Amino acid sequence: MAKSFETAQKDFYSHAINDSAVNPKSKWGSIRKLLHSATGKLNVLSDNLTAKVFSTFFSDKLIFIVSDITARITSLPAPVVPPPLSSASFSTFSSVSISQADALLLSLAKSSPLDIVPVALLKSCHSTFAVLLSKLANVSFTSGKFPNSYKTAQITPILKKPSLDPSTPSSFRPISNLRTLGKLLERLAQVQLRSHFCSAPAFSSYQSAYRPLHSTETSTLFIANTLFCTSTPSLLVSLDLSSAFDCISHSILLDRLSNDFGLSGMPLAWLQSYLTSRSQFVAWHGINSASTPLLMGVPQGSVLGPLLFSINVSPVSRLLHSLGLQHHMYADDTTLML
């Protein structure tokens, strides 16, 4: 019996890994199950932790990081970043069709805790909601305004590791949830924006995150190939940014979108509206904190946030290249190869 169970389990995981060979995300999930490394959510209760405490901690952390960075860079000479080649212009969104909206609705997987209309209802009545969604998208794109009702995020603190102290706010990671309809609007915008951004000369060719046909595999292969092709000793320096997505200056990002990536007109106005006047609140064991304004950063848990982050850090690649440094980037992780 034990032998049969072991054989069946072996066959199951073997098939699972083989079936997900073309999908890195599915493959990684299968391997995690095989190694029993997945951990469930912990139900952590502490008298010291409240929704208000978490909200204050997350806000104060960003203020400290920004103040620290500002104090450091004022004492350093400004780096000379080579300007990018001129980019093609992007000044108008194309009209969104009902069939596009319908396909997105059918692809939905799960609801957000902020949703008024659950995903199950959106999918079961997709033909009706597709008409409304396409109309909403076209009005939003032609007016250059992202609806304010979709700019509020719910933050759920999740313990980073089981070994960390569950009574300390710093042991928790803020998980952000946004309304599904707002994320659908983002996806419709991303369909038109991503190809323009990724083909622009200003976009780093050494960035493997949030691009079609790029992943952790391309990043790993690039670094390994670079090391294998040299006969000299090599040194790898890994750079990581603290709260990278949350500390982005909106004015710098919008200036980069305009000057480096050729955005203008309603698309630029729409992205400005998308970034500004946002807020968040913390939900902790049935109690919500007061909403706090978000004055910087790209929205966590969003569709466009990762792509906008890549645009914001694109000059780093030009700077490193001008200094003759081999490098590769994956999201906010940059590897230097000396």
Side-chain angles (χ1 to χ4, degrees), residues 31-309:
I31 293 174
R32 288 187 69 199
K33 291 178 181 179
L34 177 62
L35 298 176
H36 305 287
S37 57
T39 56
K41 294 182 180 179
L42 300 178
N43 185 22
V44 182
L45 288 172
S46 173
D47 294 336
N48 300 325
L49 298 180
T50 63
K52 182 179 179 180
V53 168
F54 276 117
S55 180
T56 302
F57 172 78
F58 293 142
S59 298
D60 289 349
K61 178 183 177 181
L62 295 183
I63 294 173
F64 172 79
I65 291 174
V66 172
S67 299
D68 185 52
I69 291 174
T70 303
R72 291 172 183 268
I73 64 175
T74 52
S75 61
L76 298 172
V80 179
V81 181
L85 297 175
S86 59
S87 172
S89 63
F90 189 100
S91 58
T92 307
F93 280 116
S94 300
S95 179
V96 175
S97 66
I98 296 176
S99 60
Q100 284 180 292
D102 193 55
L104 278 184
L105 289 168
L106 289 173
S107 68
L108 291 175
K110 58 182 179 180
S111 294
S112 163
L114 293 176
D115 285 345
I116 297 174
V117 181
V119 163
L121 181 57
L122 289 175
K123 295 182 74 172
S124 63
C125 302
H126 61 91
S127 297
T128 300
F129 282 110
V131 177
L132 300 176
L133 177 59
S134 61
K135 178 66 174 178
L136 173 63
N138 288 323
V139 170
S140 177
F141 293 163
T142 55
S143 65
K145 294 181 180 180
F146 187 84
N148 288 329
S149 56
Y150 302 146
K151 293 184 181 182
T152 300
Q154 175 182 301
I155 304 298
T156 304
I158 300 294
L159 194 65
K160 296 177 183 177
K161 297 179 182 178
S163 58
L164 296 178
D165 182 3
S167 63
T168 304
S170 59
S171 300
F172 291 79
R173 177 180 291 107
I175 303 300
S176 175
N177 281 287
L178 297 164
R179 285 188 175 179
T180 298
L181 283 176
K183 294 175 75 170
L184 289 176
L185 277 182
E186 292 184 62
R187 289 176 66 181
L188 289 169
Q190 181 178 254
V191 168
Q192 302 186 41
L193 290 170
R194 185 163 62 180
S195 59
H196 173 78
F197 288 152
C198 292
S199 62
F203 196 91
S204 173
S205 58
Y206 297 100
Q207 175 66 262
S208 279
Y210 318 126
R211 296 174 64 191
L213 305 178
H214 289 72
S215 65
T216 51
E217 284 188 68
T218 55
S219 180
T220 303
L221 287 171
F222 181 89
I223 294 173
N225 184 66
T226 302
L227 296 177
F228 290 151
C229 288
T230 182
S231 58
T232 60
S234 301
L235 174 67
L236 263 66
V237 179
S238 182
L239 308 177
D240 190 26
L241 303 175
S242 298
S243 299
F245 282 60
D246 298 321
C247 295
I248 289 177
S249 164
H250 291 161
S251 60
I252 292 176
L253 174 57
L254 290 168
D255 180 71
R256 204 152 283 162
L257 287 167
S258 175
N259 295 329
D260 293 359
F261 288 85
L263 243 67
S264 62
M266 284 305 169
L268 184 62
W270 188 87
L271 283 172
Q272 181 176 12
S273 174
Y274 167 79
L275 289 168
T276 55
S277 302
R278 286 187 169 269
S279 63
Q280 67 180 28
F281 65 92
V282 174
W284 180 249
H285 294 288
I287 298 176
N288 297 339
S289 71
S291 292
T292 56
L294 296 174
L295 304 179
M296 65 190 82
V298 293
Q300 292 276 20
S302 64
V303 175
L304 284 172
L307 180 60
L308 293 175
F309 174 83

Side-chain angles (χ1 to χ4, degrees), residues 16-17 20 23-35 37 216:
I17 293 174
S20 60
N23 189 327
K25 184 177 181 180
S26 298
K27 181 187 289 186
W28 176 238
S30 299
I31 293 174
R32 288 187 69 199
K33 291 178 181 179
L34 177 62
L35 298 176
S37 57
T216 51

Side-chain angles (χ1 to χ4, degrees), residues 301-319:
S302 64
V303 175
L304 284 172
L307 180 60
L308 293 175
F309 174 83
S310 297
I311 288 170
N312 192 71
V313 298
S314 58
V316 174
S317 186
R318 297 201 302 275
L319 175 62

